[in-house]
Amino acid sequence: MASATVIAGNDQMLIEILLRLPIKSLIKFKSVSKNWHVLISSPYFSQLHTLRHQLHLPNTPPYLLLRASPSRFFYFNPEVNTFLPYDFPFSSPKLLRSCNGLLLLKCSSPETAVEDYLIYNPITRQSRKIVLYSDEKNAGTTVLGLSLAFDPSESPYYKVVCLRTTEYSMYSYQIEVYDSQTCTWNRWGDFMLPYDTKFCNGVYWKNCIHWIRPTGELFHFNLQYGTLEKRTGALPGSIRAYVAGSETFLRESNGHLHMMLLLSEAKFLSVWEMRMDKHGWFLKYSVDLNTIPATFAVISGQAVSVLDIIRGECENDSTLVFHFSGKIMGYWFYTKSFDVFVDLRTDEFYQPGSLQFGCSDAYQFIETLAPV
């Protein structure tokens, strides 16, 4: 009992012990005392815990939130094949972006039609309302997309990037950045971008928000300098040959940025990875989904939806998560093998021949104590 009293009264000793525990245990231990609650909830402890688990402990595979309808979600853990309904504690939530454990939501009230933007931590269930930037310069403009930037290994703070139209031209856009450290918005100058850029699907990687066009052209906004650049020369001819007729989308996983090109009719997927110096792509993986063994009872000609790519610490652990009607499946790049994660055919929302989830309906998240 005396030893327990000494530990409880020594914050530094207590921190060293708590840092070794998994996040779900720490959430429970918040209720032990007011001091423990304050300590575990502090940004200082959150940062220490994140750094310790990222640098010294094995990488924990991410989970996926899958959107079956605008306000209906499922929690999916590919490691243990857990597939459960997931309910947000908000009215009419729309999941916009996910980044390293934090979610960006848009929620609306059926009674007032007022739309609120929230940052939400699904592990701690904490949320913060974000009020969009407003002044005379953006009156009458339209928000085209919001993105979330958060890297807990670098900072306990996050940023929200809002891209909207200007009054001057259909090709001119303005960017505003919210910083959770100061709780303020900064507005950056007007930028020219092609109108078909996928503004609502911005992906955070290496302190930049990346947007892609259907042509495969990539643009990134540097959060440190407030500059927008086109990745000129990043598309070799080998990629251009794939782009025509492909579904093109970006994914980030475990510190890697991927461009995924799906030839839907041919059911052929190529995964390109951006070099760490941001100067060009290289072909990382290719998958012929026509080679799925007949034992999995996937009907020839069915539509396919590529949900996500999960990069492990080593190549043996890297997996493609994809979806045919009634099944969520995995493909292991290293062994070139397939397996079924979840059979959806007994779920009430299953409709034979129809996809339950689209390519934009999967959101990776990891466990984090990060405050919002």
Side-chain angles (χ1 to χ4, degrees), residues 69-224:
S69 67
S71 296
R72 186 178 186 186
F73 297 87
F74 291 86
Y75 163 90
F76 173 47
N77 183 343
E79 189 176 29
V80 294
N81 291 7
T82 302
F83 183 79
L84 299 168
Y86 183 87
D87 295 319
F88 287 101
F90 310 108
S91 174
S92 302
K94 181 179 180 182
L95 180 52
L96 301 180
R97 302 309 301 160
S98 172
C99 189
N100 289 321
L102 296 184
L103 308 179
L104 174 59
L105 304 173
K106 181 169 74 171
C107 304
S108 58
S109 169
E111 294 79 19
T112 63
V114 174
E115 294 182 337
D116 291 327
Y117 293 93
L118 302 172
I119 299 296
Y120 181 61
N121 185 327
I123 300 300
T124 65
R125 301 184 75 82
Q126 295 177 331
S127 64
R128 178 193 286 191
K129 181 179 177 180
I130 304 295
V131 179
L132 297 188
Y133 182 79
S134 179
D135 67 6
E136 68 280 357
K137 290 186 178 181
N138 62 22
T141 61
T142 301
V143 174
L144 299 177
L146 287 97
S147 303
L148 180 59
F150 176 57
D151 184 350
S153 66
E154 297 291 336
S155 169
Y157 304 103
Y158 57 84
K159 295 182 180 180
V160 177
V161 178
C162 176
L163 188 143
R164 67 170 78 225
T165 60
T166 66
E167 298 177 324
Y168 317 117
S169 167
M170 65 180 295
Y171 300 106
S172 177
Y173 305 93
Q174 59 193 41
I175 295 176
E176 297 138 8
V177 179
Y178 174 85
D179 189 330
S180 69
Q181 183 174 12
T182 60
C183 299
T184 58
W185 287 90
N186 285 318
R187 182 182 183 277
W188 299 92
D190 298 337
F191 302 97
M192 304 299 290
L193 282 167
Y195 72 92
D196 61 352
T197 305
K198 298 180 181 180
F199 300 118
C200 61
N201 292 326
V203 174
Y204 175 72
W205 182 67
K206 285 189 172 293
N207 206 32
C208 295
I209 297 294
H210 301 263
W211 295 283
I212 195 169
R213 295 182 65 198
T215 60
E217 284 185 302
L218 189 71
F219 298 85
H220 77 245
F221 177 74
N222 189 302
L223 289 161
Q224 181 177 358

Side-chain angles (χ1 to χ4, degrees), residues 263-335:
L263 287 165
S264 298
E265 293 186 5
K267 292 186 174 52
F268 185 83
L269 176 76
S270 62
V271 180
W272 301 78
E273 182 175 340
M274 176 64 76
R275 301 184 189 280
M276 288 298 168
D277 62 5
K278 302 180 184 177
H279 292 293
W281 302 94
F282 63 93
L283 181 62
K284 182 65 177 178
Y285 306 113
S286 58
V287 185
D288 184 354
L289 297 176
N290 292 294
T291 61
I292 298 176
T295 52
F296 292 116
V298 174
I299 300 173
S300 177
Q302 273 192 346
V304 60
S305 171
V306 174
L307 298 178
D308 217 333
I309 180 173
I310 297 176
R311 292 290 294 270
E313 287 299 301
C314 61
E315 287 298 325
N316 301 26
D317 302 325
S318 296
T319 313
L320 176 72
V321 183
F322 64 99
H323 166 54
F324 283 97
S325 178
K327 288 186 173 77
I328 297 176
M329 299 187 64
Y331 175 81
W332 282 260
F333 295 107
Y334 185 76
T335 60

Side-chain angles (χ1 to χ4, degrees), residues 329-345:
M329 299 187 64
Y331 175 81
W332 282 260
F333 295 107
Y334 185 76
T335 60
K336 302 186 186 304
S337 59
F338 294 90
D339 202 356
V340 175
F341 282 128
V342 183
D343 192 328
L344 304 170
R345 289 174 295 179

Side-chain angles (χ1 to χ4, degrees), residues 16-34:
E16 288 299 320
I17 295 173
L18 294 177
L19 284 175
R20 302 172 185 272
L21 300 179
I23 287 178
K24 289 182 180 178
S25 297
L26 291 172
I27 298 298
K28 295 179 181 179
F29 287 162
K30 281 186 177 184
S31 60
V32 170
S33 69
K34 181 178 180 180

